[in-house]
Amino acid sequence: MKIVIFLGAPGSGKGTVADRVEERLGYTHVSTGNMLREAVKAGTAVGEAAKSYMERGELVPDEVMIKVIEARMDAGGADAAFMFDGYPRTVEQAELLEKSLEGRGGTLEKVVFLDAPRDVLIRRLTGRRTCRDCGACFHVETMPPKKEGVCDDCGGELYQRPDDQEETIANRLDVYNSQTESLVSRYEEQGVLVRVDSDRPVAPLVEDVAALFESDADASDGQ
Ligand code: AMP
């Protein structure tokens, strides 16, 4: 099992980039935010446990999250390759993930850290519109859908996530600063972190991220 982690604040572009490179690079994009929103919509036990935290922009407890992520890993089988977007978000989650990978003979290949300034994140989050059905993201100004209110990918209805409203955004960014940011130095020390400036248009950003993987493939072909 191979894992790549997309790390970055809400609005840094993790989901958008992972969505656009997953097929090309042969990974499955796993967004814990999307999985939780689906669980809330379906009214499952995980959804019930997660709902109130999500509404406040707080983190869902680690013991809930590790069950979600382990079930997803096990459903993929031993040869799966995943791009995690939104997990881990705390040092505890990173440690739990390391244990889970060890137990499954999996490896953490790379952590792609998407870096953007706070004002850019706020602008992206307040203008973001998300598909109710497939979770694809658009932006009212910088990445509008072809038809207003309709998802280009699946035709589903676009909506503004309640936690993308201004009051909750500030809390989510503070939670990121206090709980997730320290993962950057952890992965830097482990030598797996690649920092990418994500304050750029999507197309060149996607190409740069894809190139990080394609140059690895070239290097191993040449061995
Ligand atoms: P996202 O779509 O990644 O912004 O996630 C939306 C919300 O889901 C977050 O604000 C959290 O409430 C919850 N969430 C997603 N991933 C995690 C995680 N790894 N740990 C805790 N809560 C999470």
Side-chain angles (χ1 to χ4, degrees), residues 10 14 31-34 36-37 53-54 57-61 65 85-89 93 128 161 163 172:
K14 305 184 294 293
S31 154
T32 45
N34 283 352
L36 293 173
R37 280 183 288 281
Y53 295 96
M54 295 175 76
E58 289 169 11
L59 296 185
V60 174
M65 294 312 302
D85 143 22
Y87 193 93
R89 266 168 145 105
Q93 290 184 5
R128 179 157 76 178
R161 280 171 43 182
D163 61 347
R172 286 166 66 209

Side-chain angles (χ1 to χ4, degrees), residues 110 211-223:
K110 205 189 284 298
L212 296 173
F213 292 82
E214 286 162 350
S215 60
D216 286 353
D218 290 348
S220 59
D221 283 353
Q223 273 169 13

